[in-house]
Each structure stands twice: as C-alpha cells, then as structure tokens.
C-alpha cells in the first residue's frame, strides 16, 4: 500500500506539471490595447482657422467658392469628435503666424511644418503627416533630374516657408542659383510654366496637387530630400484646444480615419487618377 501511494502521488504531480506547462502561454498572452481616450468636449466652440487656400490638395477654393481639401476635412473630423465648429478664413501665408499669435485665429491649418523656430511663438498639435521636399520642373525638362541638378538654376519658392529656408541653405552651399520668392505656390508654379524660373522647391504632396491641376505641364524629378512633420498650429497657451485636437488625432490614427483621409486626398487624387 505504501509503495503504491508513492507512485500514485508522483504520477499526479507529473500530470499537474504537464498541464501547467501547456497552459502557461495562454496566461502570458498580452491584453488587448485600450481604445484611444475620447477627445475633450469643447462645448460647441467656434474655432477660427487661418489658411492659405491656394495650396492643393491641402486647401483650395473649388468652383463653388467652397474651401476644400485635406485640412478642411481633417478639421471637420476633429471637431466632430471634440464638439467644435471649424471656420476656415483665407489669409496670405506671409504673416499667418503673427496673426495667430495676435488672436486673429485660434489655429492655422495649411500644410504647416513643425519647426523649433515656430514653436517659440505658437503651439502645435501632434504631427498628422510626414513628407519630404521635392523639385518641380516643366514636363519637357531633361537637364534637371533632382536637387543636385539645381546649380546655377533659377528656383522659385513661397516666401517664409521651409522650402524658402532650404533653398537659401542650398544657395549658400553653391547648389542653387537665383531664388525667386512668391506670395504663394500657385504663382511660383505659374512662373515655372511660363519659363520665368527653372524649378520650384515644394513639398511632395503639394507638388502632386499642382501636377493634378496643371494638365501635364509639370512633373516631379528626383527623390524627396528632407523629412518633415506637419501639424496644426495653435495659439500659444490654448491648452484646451491643443488637448482636444491631440486626443481627436490619436483617435483618428487608431481607428483608421486619418488613413482614409490620406487615401482620399493623396492617393485617389494622385497625378493621373
């Protein structure tokens, strides 16, 4: 009896160990990721949004005189989640951040790059898109094949943009000839088509937007030569607006809404589509 009890107990212990070993991985399975926190309720607040509406596909005025584009759709979705109403106000790029700082707007949405210099005077939402700068030339151009082909060439940019800063930096290095600065990129592209300049340095997504509306007159050459992030400019110190926008953007990244907006404006409307 005593010997039989020992082997019986040993067998039970072995079975328990085997069962425990088989079930342990299930206990270590990671818990599902929690859903993004809801956006703060802004109580129906009107949010005045300054925007240079000459910058397709980010923002433009359509044939019905309506402001349309990626940024208006983005702000509409943010406000749907944060209980606010975005009102876009067309304004020139030059001075747009000063106007924001002075309280003429609550926010700026216009394909705005987040930079350390701008963060000194305004706040930004979390980044919602990354891009690179590219070179835009006439469709029949063969000598310029990228940024390294701009030595001695006349280049157009929009005043006060990171493209302007990059062109100036390249010029100091002897990699760009004359720089022609324009009030907006629509004028720069028009000058390119009219052969007043040789190339335009512009953000990659905006280049696609202008290619779309220029009927095979222009093209991109080379690869993007910077990597930058876009965000919504917010009046310095407006913590409630920033918190609401950040929470809404986090939701939109998590549930796929931001991807869908990207596909709508930057894939489905890509050149030739």
């Amino acid at each position: 009896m005593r010997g039989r009890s020992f082997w019986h107990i040993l067998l039970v212990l072995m079975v328990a160990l085997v069962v425990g070993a088989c079930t342990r991985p299930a206990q270590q399975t990671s818990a599902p990721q929690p859903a993004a926190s809801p956006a703060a309720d802004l109580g129906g607040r009107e949010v005045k949004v300054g925007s240079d509406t000459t910058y397709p596909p980010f923002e433009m005025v359509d044939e019905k005189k309506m402001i349309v584009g990626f940024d208006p759709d983005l702000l509409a979705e943010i406000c749907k989640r944060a209980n606010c109403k975005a009102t876009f106000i067309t304004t020139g790029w030059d001075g747009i951040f000063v106007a924001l700082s002075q309280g003429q707007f609550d926010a700026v949405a216009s394909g705005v790059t987040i930079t350390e210099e701008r963060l000194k005077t305004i706040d930004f939402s979390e980044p919602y898109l990354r891009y690179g700068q590219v070179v835009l030339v006439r469709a029949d151009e063969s000598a310029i094949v990228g940024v390294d082909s701009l030595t001695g060439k006349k280049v157009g940019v929009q005043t006060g943009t990171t493209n302007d800063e990059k062109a100036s930096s390249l010029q100091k290095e002897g990699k760009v000839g004359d720089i022609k600065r324009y009030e907006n990129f629509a004028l720069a592209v028009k000058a390119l088509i009219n052969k007043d300049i040789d190339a335009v340095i512009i953000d990659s997504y905006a280049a696609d937007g202008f290619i779309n509306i220029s009927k095979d007159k222009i093209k991109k050459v080379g690869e993007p030569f910077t990597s930058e992030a876009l965000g919504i400019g917010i009046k310095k110190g407006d913590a409630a607006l920033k918190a609401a926008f950040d929470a809404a953007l986090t939701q939109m990244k998590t549930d796929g809404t931001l991807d869908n907006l990207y596909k709508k404006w930057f894939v489905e409307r890509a050149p030739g589509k």
Side-chain angles (χ1 to χ4, degrees):
M1 289 291 295
R2 192 171 179 179
R4 182 179 175 186
S5 297
F6 169 77
W7 290 110
H8 178 72
I9 292 169
L10 181 61
L11 179 61
V12 170
L13 288 172
M14 290 176 67
V15 170
L17 287 171
V18 170
V19 171
C22 291
T23 57
R24 187 171 297 166
Q27 295 172 351
Q28 293 178 338
T29 302
S30 58
Q33 292 294 321
S37 300
D41 189 335
L42 293 174
R45 171 181 171 181
E46 179 186 18
V47 178
K48 296 179 181 178
V49 183
S51 185
D52 174 7
T53 56
T54 63
Y55 196 52
F58 287 97
E59 44 271 323
M60 52 198 161
V61 179
D62 67 10
E63 62 278 1
K64 297 179 181 178
K65 307 300 181 185
M66 300 292 291
I67 299 173
V68 299
F70 178 86
D71 284 331
D73 279 4
L74 178 72
L75 266 294
E77 182 63 35
I78 287 173
C79 277
K80 185 188 299 182
R81 297 164 188 255
N83 188 19
C84 57
K85 175 179 172 54
T87 301
F88 271 69
I89 302 170
T90 297
T91 187
W93 179 263
D94 188 22
I96 197 170
F97 300 118
V98 172
L100 175 60
S101 297
Q102 293 175 345
Q104 295 180 37
F105 317 121
D106 302 299
V108 167
S110 200
V112 182
T113 304
I114 301 171
T115 69
E116 291 300 322
E117 188 64 27
R118 289 171 182 168
L119 281 167
K120 293 177 182 177
T121 58
I122 66 174
D123 290 331
F124 274 98
S125 70
E126 291 296 312
Y128 62 79
L129 194 65
R130 293 204 69 87
Y131 74 98
Q133 296 185 37
V134 296
V135 176
L136 197 60
V137 297
R138 289 182 292 277
D140 60 357
E141 176 64 60
S142 58
I144 300 175
V145 295
V147 68
D148 294 331
S149 306
L150 295 177
T151 304
K153 301 297 183 182
K154 186 180 292 185
V155 173
V157 294
Q158 182 175 7
T159 300
T161 59
T162 53
N163 316 99
D164 186 355
E165 293 173 9
K166 185 62 178 179
S168 298
S169 175
L170 291 170
Q171 188 182 52
K172 290 177 182 178
E173 297 172 9
K175 297 179 180 179
V176 162
D178 293 337
I179 300 174
K180 183 73 173 175
R181 294 174 174 85
Y182 297 89
E183 183 181 346
N184 55 59
F185 271 114
L187 293 176
V189 170
K190 182 179 180 181
L192 175 64
I193 293 171
N194 291 339
K195 301 184 179 181
D196 295 329
I197 55 177
D198 301 306
V200 173
I201 292 179
I202 188 171
D203 301 346
S204 54
Y205 295 125
D208 288 340
F210 282 109
I211 290 170
N212 249 341
I213 63 177
S214 297
K215 308 299 181 185
D216 301 321
K217 294 179 181 179
I218 54 178
K219 64 181 180 181
K220 290 189 297 187
V221 291
E223 296 297 321
F225 50 89
T226 67
S227 178
E228 303 170 52
L230 300 182
I232 301 166
I234 298 170
K235 189 175 185 298
K236 199 76 170 175
D238 194 338
L241 194 63
K242 176 171 168 52
F245 278 20
D246 285 350
L249 284 169
T250 298
Q251 284 183 350
M252 292 166 67
K253 291 174 184 178
T254 301
D255 65 22
T257 302
L258 197 57
D259 283 341
N260 289 335
L261 285 181
Y262 173 86
K263 290 174 184 176
K264 174 182 176 180
W265 289 102
F266 302 118
V267 178
E268 295 173 3
R269 295 171 185 254
K273 295 186 179 181

